Amino acid sequence: MTVLLALALTLLLSATALLALLRIYRGPSLLDRVVGADLLLSAMLAAVATEAAVSRHATTLPVLVVLSMLGFVGSVSLVRFAVRAES
């Protein structure tokens, strides 16, 4: 049962990452590419958090916090840049 759960989770996160890469590649606008990059970062954070939960260690928690803050600040700054460029 554990092997099936790990396989399903791996396939789910891989499919999410591939769809996010597709959105980054084919996105017609800058904001579509920002959403794709944010989704890709979220999928990577979910994979690292899952690995930390399975192996039961909390040493990756600061890395997760820093990466999530970096993703948030990056998304907000790019959206602010896009709004200024439109006006």
Side-chain angles (χ1 to χ4, degrees), residues 7-75:
L7 182 65
L9 187 62
T10 303
L11 289 175
L12 179 69
L13 289 174
S14 299
T16 303
L18 285 175
L19 288 173
L21 285 172
L22 183 68
R23 174 50 53 199
I24 291 171
Y25 179 71
R26 294 188 61 192
S29 69
L30 176 68
L31 295 178
D32 288 329
R33 288 184 170 94
V34 169
V35 167
D38 199 28
L39 180 62
L40 183 62
L41 181 66
S42 297
M44 290 175 10
L45 284 171
V48 172
T50 303
E51 188 275 325
V54 167
S55 63
R56 295 180 183 243
H57 59 82
T59 56
T60 57
L61 185 62
V63 174
L64 291 172
V65 170
V66 168
L67 283 176
S68 62
M69 288 175 57
L70 182 68
F72 174 74
V73 170
S75 296

